[in-house]
Amino acid sequence: MKKFQNITGKLAPVITIIVVLTAWFFLSDSEALPSFMLPGPGSVVKAFVKDFPALMQHSAVTLQEAGWGLLIGFIIAVVTAVLMDRFSFLNKALYPVLIVTQTIPSIALAPLLVLWFGFEMTPKIVLVVITTFFPITVGLLGGLQSADKDAIDLFRAMGATRWQIYRHIKFPSALSSLFSGLKIAASYSVVGAVISEWLGGFEGLGVYMTRVRKAYAFDKMFAVIVLISLISLLLMWGISLLEKVSQPWLRKGKTK
């Protein structure tokens, strides 16, 4: 029974993708929408293959922006979450500010960042930092605050330092929440980089998308959308793999 559940669990996403592709094929083939508005999967694959070198060149730039932004956002988020957990007045003071940063649309911030930092990579990285540090901060903060109080009291009674409490109790108990926020942030990082590239830049998938849109090459437009989705999925898969490696006790629990 358990083996059957594992097989069906692995097949479920494959079946979903097949259903979506089939529906896409029949919808485009039936000409319910003009082909230039909804190109078929075959046309998108041809466009992807034809422009593969250009797509890889632009995706390398976008990945750089997303990677640096995610790394810097992660560092800021960890420091912020630890400080907010350690000092209650900081928690009360900063939490509303964190919420406010997420109420401002990225598309509204991007032109300002381009105006302040120019058309190079810096404004893109800044926008990715702004969009990614919030889910990581909130996830880690929730995990730190949900640590076992009895275990913390026991460590304190044994003379443990604050660093030892964080290292042996708080951080291990917060890992699941941290990785949940990190997965969300990883998908945000690529989207944030692409949005910032729409409004200014020389290279990147957002710049490529703007060019093909103006040329009404919607097959290429769909190709870059598929590529962005694949990059986001690969980033989330990599984080899931890192989560399993960093928490071996979870795998042992599943194998029992």
Side-chain angles (χ1 to χ4, degrees):
M1 185 65 180
K2 189 173 287 187
K3 185 179 287 187
F4 176 75
Q5 289 177 344
N6 290 335
I7 293 172
T8 53
K10 292 178 181 178
L11 285 177
V14 177
I15 294 172
T16 303
I17 292 172
I18 292 172
V19 170
V20 171
L21 288 175
T22 304
W24 180 11
F25 175 80
F26 281 109
L27 187 61
S28 61
D29 193 54
S30 66
E31 296 185 355
L33 290 172
S35 59
F36 71 90
M37 292 181 64
L38 183 65
S43 301
V44 174
V45 171
K46 288 179 183 178
F48 186 89
V49 173
K50 183 180 179 181
D51 272 22
F52 184 77
L55 285 170
M56 291 301 100
Q57 180 181 350
H58 286 290
S59 62
V61 176
T62 301
L63 275 173
Q64 271 188 290
E65 296 162 355
W68 281 112
L70 185 59
L71 177 62
I72 296 170
F74 175 80
I75 294 171
I76 294 174
V78 171
V79 173
T80 304
V82 171
L83 289 175
M84 289 174 70
D85 176 70
R86 174 68 184 85
F87 303 103
S88 60
F89 73 92
L90 276 180
N91 191 355
K92 295 175 181 177
L94 292 180
Y95 203 87
V97 177
L98 295 179
I99 300 296
V100 169
T101 62
Q102 301 308 298
T103 61
I104 305 172
S106 300
I107 197 73
L109 278 177
L112 291 174
L113 295 175
V114 170
L115 180 65
W116 294 337
F117 299 106
F119 291 94
E120 298 298 333
M121 197 174 287
T122 303
K124 285 81 169 176
I125 294 174
V126 172
L127 185 64
V128 173
V129 171
I130 293 171
T131 56
T132 57
F133 90 102
F134 177 77
I136 303 174
T137 303
V138 172
L140 180 56
L141 180 62
L144 293 173
Q145 293 179 339
S146 65
D148 190 343
K149 305 296 183 184
D150 293 332
I152 294 174
D153 291 338
L154 177 62
F155 264 61
R156 284 173 178 163
M158 296 173 65
T161 62
R162 288 196 183 96
W163 164 244
Q164 289 172 328
I165 291 172
Y166 272 97
R167 180 184 175 186
H168 296 289
I169 299 178
K170 289 203 167 190
F171 281 131
S173 66
L175 280 177
S176 295
S177 301
L178 171 62
F179 279 107
S180 296
L182 195 54
K183 289 175 187 175
I184 298 171
S187 62
Y188 283 2
S189 66
V190 180
V191 174
V194 171
I195 288 174
S196 62
E197 289 167 351
W198 284 351
L199 301 171
F202 307 104
E203 288 183 297
L205 292 176
V207 174
Y208 175 89
M209 186 181 290
T210 302
R211 289 173 182 171
V212 298
R213 178 179 58 82
K214 290 179 178 178
Y216 296 97
F218 288 102
D219 53 345
K220 296 180 180 180
M221 186 85 167
F222 273 77
V224 74
I225 290 171
V226 170
L227 180 58
I228 291 169
S229 300
L230 288 174
I231 291 172
S232 298
L233 288 172
L234 284 173
L235 283 173
M236 293 184 69
W237 175 80
I239 292 171
S240 297
L241 187 62
L242 183 62
E243 181 180 14
K244 292 177 181 177
V245 172
S246 64
Q247 300 180 85
W249 56 88
L250 295 180
R251 288 176 307 188
K252 290 179 182 179
K254 288 181 181 179
T255 55
K256 288 182 180 179

